[in-house]
């Protein structure tokens, strides 16, 4: 479990927690937190008072522990593969009025039930740099089987990074987990860097990049759609990525980077054409603001 920028403060204090090793979870928490201002935040320890409320992304065990202690929680499921919020029965003897459940889900994709959908969790700043350069390669290896992760990073990733440099001038690889494996795969490649998502500002990197090539994740889709920027999908790794890629590409023409030599990778459809099926009437991009508003209400007027 990761806690975002924790600092002790006077009550009412808020706890923010996510899965640091899952790209969707980390970026969902960051995008909501950007709309929470300087609200006092805390961590869950025996030395600190209990938080007045909490926003927990995906960490079901943390949600269960907090609600068992009587802390009101907004539990946010960041992606289809994330664990669902704990069932009310798992929280006995705590009543369900201590738990609100939300799911990051864009309005233009069919929602299959479960937690209440939020709409798209867009970055707080939508502007992109005028002199964009390079490729941001956003790689999620969360819950990807080890053989598939090793095969992609050792074989496909170096080829794609080299072609990114040739086509766009540089390549920044950002991964959520298996950082050592990724860094080893691109070590020695000129104009290629590799970072852990928890250590960098992914949204700011995207604002400066010419092209986004990303694992099929809602975090990446939110970046590209909100900024009306080109998006190319990495080959899906694992069942969850395959399913999400199929759902998205039924509506949005997202090229695949399966073959780095394919010109379509480097010349994706124009933004207006690529995102035509996701107009403002289908998703107002204010999901993060809506979640933040609910968290504020939970903090200042607990259930």
């Amino acid at each position: 479990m990761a806690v975002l920028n924790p600092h002790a403060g006077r009550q009412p204090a808020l706890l923010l927690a996510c899965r640091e090793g899952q790209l969707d979870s980390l970026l969902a928490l960051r995008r909501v937190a950007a709309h929470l201002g300087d609200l006092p935040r805390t961590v869950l320890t025996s030395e600190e008072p209990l938080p007045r409320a909490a926003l927990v992304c995906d960490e079901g065990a943390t949600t269960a522990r907090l609600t068992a202690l009587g802390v009101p929680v907004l539990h946010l499921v960041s992606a289809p593969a994330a664990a669902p919020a704990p069932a009310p029965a798992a929280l006995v003897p705590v009543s369900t009025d201590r738990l609100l459940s939300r799911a990051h889900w864009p309005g233009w994709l069919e929602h299959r039930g479960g937690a209440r959908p939020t709409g798209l969790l867009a970055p707080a700043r939508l502007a992109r740099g005028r002199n964009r350069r390079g490729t941001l390669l956003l790689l999620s290896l969360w819950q990807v089987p080890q053989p598939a992760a090793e095969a992609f990073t050792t074989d496909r990733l170096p080829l794609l990074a080299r072609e990114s440099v040739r086509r766009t001038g540089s390549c920044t690889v950002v991964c959520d987990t298996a950082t050592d494996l990724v860094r080893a795969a691109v070590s020695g490649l000129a104009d290629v860097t590799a970072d852990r998502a928890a250590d960098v500002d992914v949204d700011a990197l995207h604002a400066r990049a010419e092209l986004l090539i990303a694992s099929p994740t809602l975090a990446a889709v939110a970046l590209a759609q909100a900024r009306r920027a080109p998006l190319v999908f990495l080959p899906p790794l694992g069942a969850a990525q395959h399913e999400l890629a199929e759902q998205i590409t039924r509506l949005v023409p997202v090229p695949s980077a399966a073959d780095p030599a394919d010109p379509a990778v480097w010349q994706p459809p124009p933004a207006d054409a690529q995102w035509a099926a996701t107009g403002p009437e289908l998703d107002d991009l204010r999901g993060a603001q809506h979640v933040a508003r609910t968290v504020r209400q939970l903090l200042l007027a607990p259930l």
Side-chain angles (χ1 to χ4, degrees):
M1 181 190 79
V3 177
L4 182 68
N5 297 328
H7 57 87
R10 295 180 300 173
Q11 295 283 26
L14 176 68
L15 185 142
L16 303 179
C18 73
R19 289 176 179 155
E20 191 174 272
Q22 180 183 3
L23 184 68
D24 277 308
S25 188
L26 177 67
L27 296 191
L29 185 65
R30 285 180 175 176
R31 288 172 187 168
V32 175
H35 298 282
L36 291 173
D38 58 355
L39 286 174
R41 298 171 194 176
T42 188
V43 294
L44 188 60
T45 68
S46 58
E47 291 78 23
E48 295 287 343
L50 284 176
R52 183 74 174 272
L55 168 64
V56 179
C57 292
D58 306 301
E59 283 285 347
T62 300
T63 292
R65 180 183 176 192
L66 288 167
T67 52
L69 292 170
V71 178
V73 177
L74 193 157
H75 185 94
L76 177 62
V77 179
S78 67
L91 304 178
V92 174
V94 179
S95 62
T96 57
D97 62 4
R98 290 288 177 181
L99 174 63
L100 298 176
S101 297
R102 300 290 185 269
H104 182 198
W105 198 253
W108 47 272
L109 274 182
E110 179 185 358
H111 188 246
R112 299 178 179 177
R116 177 179 168 184
T118 62
L120 208 67
L121 300 179
R125 296 178 178 83
L126 298 184
R128 299 182 72 205
R130 291 185 178 181
N131 299 315
R132 297 185 294 275
R133 179 180 183 273
T135 297
L136 173 60
L137 203 156
L138 197 53
L139 175 61
S140 178
L141 295 175
W142 172 258
Q143 290 188 330
V144 172
Q146 185 71 12
E150 291 180 352
F152 177 82
T153 54
T154 57
D155 297 334
R156 195 75 58 85
L157 182 59
L159 296 175
L160 192 53
R162 290 192 190 95
E163 191 67 11
S164 297
V165 172
R166 190 177 79 84
R167 298 273 189 168
T168 67
S170 66
C171 180
T172 300
V173 182
V174 177
C175 58
D176 51 10
T177 189
T179 311
D180 291 344
L181 186 65
V182 172
R183 284 177 173 156
V186 299
S187 64
L189 298 182
D191 298 310
V192 178
T193 60
D195 295 293
R196 191 172 67 122
D199 299 331
V200 296
D201 187 337
V202 172
D203 294 351
L205 288 173
H206 176 251
R208 300 192 294 268
E210 177 181 339
L211 180 63
L212 173 62
I213 302 179
S215 297
T217 60
L218 288 178
V221 171
L223 266 180
Q225 181 193 338
R227 288 173 169 165
R228 284 298 195 261
L231 173 65
V232 177
F233 275 157
L234 291 168
L237 300 173
Q241 291 187 16
H242 276 280
E243 183 177 351
L244 185 61
E246 288 181 358
Q247 287 182 276
I248 291 171
T249 53
R250 289 187 199 120
L251 296 172
V252 179
V254 182
S256 170
D259 179 7
D262 184 353
V265 176
W266 313 103
Q267 297 175 351
D272 289 345
Q274 187 168 37
W275 299 107
T278 65
E281 69 280 3
L282 298 175
D283 210 325
D284 65 7
L285 306 181
R286 293 181 295 179
Q289 292 98 311
H290 296 328
V291 174
R293 186 180 303 117
T294 303
V295 171
R296 284 180 178 275
Q297 293 169 348
L298 195 63
L299 179 68
L300 301 176
L303 297 171

